[in-house]
Amino acid sequence: MGTILLFASFFILLFLGAPIAIALGGSAFLYVLLFTNISPIIVAQQIYASVNTFTLLAVPFFVMAGVLMEYGGISRRVISFSKSLVGHFTGGLALVVVVASVFFAAMTGSGVAACAAVGGIMVPEMIKAGYDKDFACALQGTAGIFGPLIPPSIVMVIYATIANESVSTMLMAGVGPGVLQAALVAIVAVLICRKHGYKGEGSFRIKNVLLGFKESFWALLSPAIILGGIYSGVFTPTEAAGVSCFYSIIVGLFIYKEMDFPMLMAALSKSLKSAAGIMFIVGASGAFSWVITREHIAKLAASMFLNMTDNKYLFLLAAAVIILIAGCFIDSIPIVTILTPILVPVAMQYGVSLVHLGGLMVTGTCIGLITPPMGLNLFMGAQLGNRPVHMVIKKIIPFITVTVIGMLLVMFIPGIVTYLPTLLK
């Protein structure tokens, strides 16, 4: 009965419009109040304990770094460099969206940030060049989903913390799925552009590539510093996030000089609000997870799956379906914080690598960013082009289809996730 109340109250609060953190914490509070003799103060204690972790300091720092890069003029330079690389191909501007989004994902770790930063420039430019408005919005929304996969990924940091996995291992685990999804999206975009006759711009010149690289050098150096520092052992992932913030301030203020002190304060204010929201969700999910543990939901789920099948791929398929359905209604971070405590013990029973499970989970939650009715990137893409969401949905269906295919490849070929982490150990 307690389990039913927990999930029923969660979904009722969610569909009444309550913030996800309130829905998580509120349902845990109701459970404690009605089904235990424990003081409700335990909910606040669990919220505090969940965020009182050194590793999770990486989350607000990476959020802050992403906003600082957005304000510091990095987006325009990354897009310019991407144009010099792929702008001359068929559907050149569409490829620029994909490539620039990959670069920006490698600097911010956020899907919505990548979508907004690149799309603010590219969607109007694609429309001006004659591309279909809804296609431009759909492509940009889809290209933003690489953010939570390609390191430094905020969602991967949270998964690693909950699943008790190495953060550096999980960050590298996202590279394979991220590159795979980017390649699949690029192929579909080119096929659509070829069908509609969208040509490239200019011709490929080494001189332009070198000039673009020189202009964007300091921007592209950011992921190299972050990942190079982590895997060389110079600093931890949490320290790397702090270094990324400091580096972004230096580049924006003193190298590109596109950010002044008032803009710096605005960027810090915006990032603190975003980070506070994320950490509140993580804390509330800790209280929710405490109830899940108390009710032995993970053990019950493991028993249910094992009674149904002993095939680990059927378990992974069932988990993928659950994640995709959840992604239609909930953002990436809440999905990971809610489902990880349930799925990890089950995966261990099946002998599934927790690194593989994490790669699959984050891949699925990324697709949720573009699935109706509540995909954040879907709405962001439509907003960038000032288009009705229902019109953009028609154009985003091919991209949803191909990214689901990518998820299935990640599921059945674990090496896509695990190869790089194993190589770097």
Side-chain angles (χ1 to χ4, degrees), residues 7-24 26-27 30 329-330 374:
F7 285 99
S9 57
F10 169 72
F11 284 109
I12 289 170
L13 287 169
L14 198 63
F15 286 110
L16 285 175
I20 187 74
I22 299 297
L24 287 165
S27 56
L30 284 173
F329 304 98
I330 310 174
M374 297 180 67

Side-chain angles (χ1 to χ4, degrees), residues 57-226:
L57 275 175
V59 174
F61 278 131
F62 278 136
V63 170
M64 190 178 294
V67 177
L68 288 167
M69 290 174 185
E70 182 183 342
Y71 276 66
I74 289 175
S75 309
R76 180 170 53 81
R77 289 170 172 83
V78 169
I79 288 171
S80 178
F81 177 57
S82 301
K83 280 185 180 178
S84 69
L85 288 174
V86 298
H88 62 286
F89 288 112
T90 298
L93 291 182
L95 286 175
V96 169
V97 167
V98 176
V99 174
S101 295
V102 169
F103 280 133
F104 206 81
M107 292 182 282
T108 65
S110 168
V112 177
C115 182
V118 177
I121 299 171
M122 288 306 303
V123 169
E125 187 166 340
M126 289 180 72
I127 293 172
K128 184 178 178 181
Y131 285 75
D132 178 83
K133 294 179 180 179
D134 298 319
F135 167 73
C137 295
L139 175 63
Q140 183 58 71
T142 305
I145 72 172
F146 312 140
L149 277 170
I150 296 173
S153 166
I154 295 167
V155 183
M156 281 294 192
V157 172
I158 292 171
Y159 172 84
T161 304
I162 298 172
N164 199 28
E165 281 290 319
S166 162
V167 173
S168 56
T169 296
M170 290 314 306
L171 287 177
M172 195 51 62
V175 174
V179 172
L180 172 65
Q181 294 288 49
L184 292 173
V185 169
I187 291 169
V188 170
V190 168
L191 292 175
I192 292 172
C193 289
R194 181 170 294 175
K195 178 181 177 181
H196 291 89
Y198 301 139
K199 304 295 183 182
E201 294 186 351
S203 57
F204 178 79
R205 295 182 179 179
I206 291 293
K207 179 182 178 181
N208 292 338
V209 174
L210 294 176
L211 287 173
F213 179 76
K214 180 181 177 182
E215 180 72 10
S216 60
F217 173 77
W218 296 105
L220 299 175
L221 190 61
S222 174
I225 291 174
I226 295 169

Side-chain angles (χ1 to χ4, degrees), residues 262-348:
M263 288 178 68
L264 173 61
M265 291 297 101
L268 293 177
S269 175
K270 180 180 177 180
S271 61
L272 286 173
K273 289 177 182 177
S274 298
I278 292 171
M279 297 307 286
F280 190 18
I281 292 171
V282 173
S285 69
F288 193 86
S289 299
W290 176 81
V291 177
I292 287 174
T293 303
R294 180 183 171 86
E295 285 287 298
H296 305 292
I297 293 173
K299 187 182 292 185
L300 292 172
S303 177
M304 180 188 72
F305 275 113
L306 289 168
N307 287 334
M308 289 170 57
T309 178
D310 58 358
N311 189 311
K312 69 177 183 179
Y313 289 106
L314 288 178
F315 156 68
L316 289 174
L317 184 61
V321 171
I322 292 169
I323 292 165
L324 289 173
I325 293 172
C328 294
F329 304 98
I330 310 174
D331 193 17
S332 302
I333 292 171
I335 294 174
V336 169
T337 55
I338 293 168
L339 292 181
T340 299
I342 298 174
L343 294 179
V344 162
V346 185
M348 292 173 70

Side-chain angles (χ1 to χ4, degrees), residues 232-274:
S232 65
V234 175
F235 36 67
T236 67
T238 304
E239 292 166 343
V243 170
S244 178
C245 285
F246 182 74
Y247 179 81
S248 301
I249 292 172
I250 297 298
V251 170
L253 284 176
F254 303 112
I255 298 179
Y256 290 153
K257 299 179 180 179
E258 293 196 13
M259 183 168 62
D260 54 21
F261 188 74
M263 288 178 68
L264 173 61
M265 291 297 101
L268 293 177
S269 175
K270 180 180 177 180
S271 61
L272 286 173
K273 289 177 182 177
S274 298

